[in-house]
Amino acid sequence: DYIFLGAPMPEHAKLSESDLKAMRREMQFWYPVDLRVSGRDLIQNHLTFFLYTHAALFPPQLWPRSIRTNGFVMLDNAKMSKQTGNFLTLQEGIAEYSADAMRFALAAAGDSNEDANF
């Protein structure tokens, strides 16, 4: 409770007071979460659990401020995947299409839950 909620320092903790204070500082630095960005396929599980967990454990002032989801990056209408081998790195894309073309494609692709297709 001390680390997450700011309750009084525990009297008989197994960790040192300096370690507990360091953990509390980290918690205060990272919380509340300003923005969580995830793929739209995670809405039903990870993002829902993310919201429920924060609502169950933390007071409202520590709840996430916003969540953003995005679509997949596709290559020739197929989801890019290292496993299937249809993968394009930024360096490969720049070498094949030019830096300006990659900038344009990425800028045009990143504003919705729609899939970006290269």
Side-chain angles (χ1 to χ4, degrees):
D1 286 350
Y2 168 73
I3 294 167
F4 294 119
L5 303 174
M9 175 83 67
E11 293 181 24
H12 303 291
K14 293 182 181 181
L15 297 172
S16 70
E17 185 175 324
S18 64
D19 285 345
L20 289 170
K21 286 182 178 180
M23 287 186 235
R24 176 73 184 143
R25 277 192 306 276
E26 288 290 316
M27 176 67 186
Q28 289 175 313
F29 179 82
W30 292 107
Y31 271 80
V33 174
D34 290 323
L35 175 65
R36 162 82 187 258
V37 180
S38 291
R40 69 169 187 258
D41 59 322
L42 299 179
I43 292 171
Q44 299 88 343
N45 49 37
H46 294 280
L47 292 176
T48 303
F49 186 72
F50 176 72
L51 290 173
Y52 287 158
T53 301
H54 281 81
L57 296 177
F58 299 119
Q61 64 267 24
L62 294 179
W63 291 357
R65 301 247 168 103
S66 59
I67 294 176
R68 169 83 164 83
T69 59
N70 53 267
F72 299 115
V73 178
M74 312 282 275
L75 184 62
D76 297 326
N77 291 316
K79 183 179 169 186
M80 267 202 230
S81 169
K82 289 181 186 177
Q83 200 170 33
T84 59
N86 68 332
F87 195 78
L88 180 69
T89 67
L90 285 175
Q91 289 178 336
E92 292 168 344
I94 290 169
E96 188 170 341
Y97 302 109
S98 83
D100 286 339
M102 288 299 290
R103 280 189 204 104
F104 181 78
L106 292 171
D111 202 24
S112 70
N113 277 332
E114 300 301 316
D115 296 331
N117 190 32
F118 285 90

